[in-house]
Amino acid sequence: MSARPQAVAAAGNAAALEPRTFLLSLFQHAVEAVSPARCLAQHLPPAPRGRTIVIGAGKGAASMAQAVEQHWQGPLSGLVVTRYQHGAPCRHIEVVEAGHPVPDEAGWQAAKRMLEMVKGLSEDDLVLCLISGGGSSLLSLPAPGITLPQKQALNKALLRSGATIFEMNCVRKHLSAIKGGRLALACGQARVHTLLISDIPGDDPAIIASGPTLADETTCADALAVLEKYQIDVPGNVRDYLISGAGETPKPGDARLRHATHATIATAQEALEAAARHAQAHGITAHILSDCLEGEARDVALVHAGIVRQILAHGQPFERPCLLLSGGETTVTVRGGGRGGRNAEFLLALTAALDDGRGASLPGVHAIACDTDGIDGTEDNAGCLLGPDTLTRAAAAGLSPKSHLQNNDGYTFFAALGDLVVTQPTRTNVNDFRAILIE
């Protein structure tokens, strides 16, 4: 991974470690700690007497399938769907690439094929389900009477609304023929074991990728409440479907899910702890603020900026030098026409909030904000970098962080400064990674 246009220099200790290189190495260690190649094998179940069918969806689904093939003892077959350009070579498990964050026909067709694939299985068979973040969009099979274009339009509206991932997935579950435990129901008497990489604050397995193999506590009424809260207009047939209760999901305790088990194999906390260990090895004390921060990206940035200012002014709650780490999933209510995901938005807001009052950034503060899947929103960067000279360089280039923030245009701002972090897809996903180094 690299930050353009800076070159990455080698360093052996905190004194020799150039701050931007240090921040990039933190991100790299965080991502590697939650890669399927490192964390999946120990969670594989024993082989069944009958067949093993592998299915799955998410940004990490292809690399999870690859890890299964490398460690599985015995025959297997199956199909997983992942985002375009997130595939990985597999010999026995078919990998389909599809649209994300807006579903497309490729994902729709893959979902239909999965349901067919698990029909007619017996109690001697095993369905190994590989789920990671992004699966909600990739595993898109609308409920009866609802069209794919309607689901696409609703997805776009939810993404722009500022709704949390919990709220978005609540709606998605109740308008789906495969999410919210329905995929497990389709497996009949077969044992269903789900391996999950969590991109959800709090790591609730039923929320990850809208829980296609797990019971669901939410209701159609909850989904309607989300649409009302964010004033999202939907076609009459969609609203009527929810009002009728036809989209209700299997609830906890449902006997039809008695053969379904699951294990979470990677989380944001594990990524943050890996980064903290790497920092400690270089003599920097790391403090994990939270692995489950939510809210508007610009508001989360203001909270981080307040902590930074307290450390600089009073040595509270931590003394310098130190590293602040946080994860979770922020949101962006899109009001402008600019480019950039929630990590660019966070860092742009942090840039503005760290103004020293004279048009320069506070001294000794460096930061990185990236999505662990390698894609910030729909752009080609994982995230961005900030340094003590960011505001000075921006002013010289005629860039205003506040103006770009009003237009939701963090990508353009940091691209002009050469401060994008470009990694390509990482094929895992535990959501946001933020690190602030205070020298």
Side-chain angles (χ1 to χ4, degrees), residues 69-222:
E69 287 194 345
Q70 290 171 350
H71 297 281
W72 188 254
Q73 302 297 318
L76 50 74
S77 62
L79 181 153
V80 299
V81 57
T82 191
R83 182 176 177 164
Y84 291 116
Q85 300 181 343
H86 285 62
C90 293
R91 294 171 296 163
H92 308 292
I93 303 167
E94 182 182 353
V95 176
V96 173
E97 296 185 357
H100 179 281
V102 178
D104 64 4
E105 186 167 353
W108 176 57
Q109 293 290 347
K112 288 202 301 182
R113 290 178 57 199
M114 280 186 204
L115 286 182
E116 289 295 322
M117 193 174 290
V118 299
K119 282 184 178 179
L121 298 177
S122 75
E123 60 185 12
D124 289 332
D125 300 320
L126 169 68
V127 176
L128 185 60
C129 189
L130 310 176
I131 295 297
S132 57
S136 289
S137 299
L138 294 162
L139 200 63
S140 183
L141 186 62
I146 298 172
T147 68
L148 180 61
Q150 287 175 331
K151 286 290 292 288
Q152 290 171 325
L154 178 57
N155 249 42
K156 290 178 181 177
L158 286 167
L159 289 167
R160 294 177 64 88
S161 70
T164 68
I165 189 62
F166 299 93
E167 293 169 324
M168 287 193 285
N169 284 359
C170 173
V171 175
R172 288 161 165 167
K173 287 182 182 183
H174 293 92
L175 296 174
S176 173
I178 197 168
K179 300 184 183 74
R182 294 185 180 90
L183 179 55
L185 296 182
C187 297
Q189 296 301 309
R191 181 188 175 197
V192 180
H193 188 62
T194 303
L195 300 181
L196 302 124
I197 294 178
S198 175
D199 68 330
I200 299 297
D203 303 321
D204 183 344
I207 306 297
I208 304 167
S210 297
T213 59
L214 285 92
D216 173 39
E217 294 183 346
T218 66
T219 65
C220 288
D222 294 328

Side-chain angles (χ1 to χ4, degrees), residues 312 361-366 388 437-439:
L312 290 173
S361 304
L362 292 176
V365 180
H366 308 259
L437 173 65
I438 305 173
E439 294 185 288

Side-chain angles (χ1 to χ4, degrees), residues 17-29:
L17 205 59
E18 191 272 328
R20 296 162 77 88
T21 302
F22 174 60
L23 293 174
L24 288 167
S25 68
L26 287 172
F27 181 53
Q28 183 174 1
H29 276 76

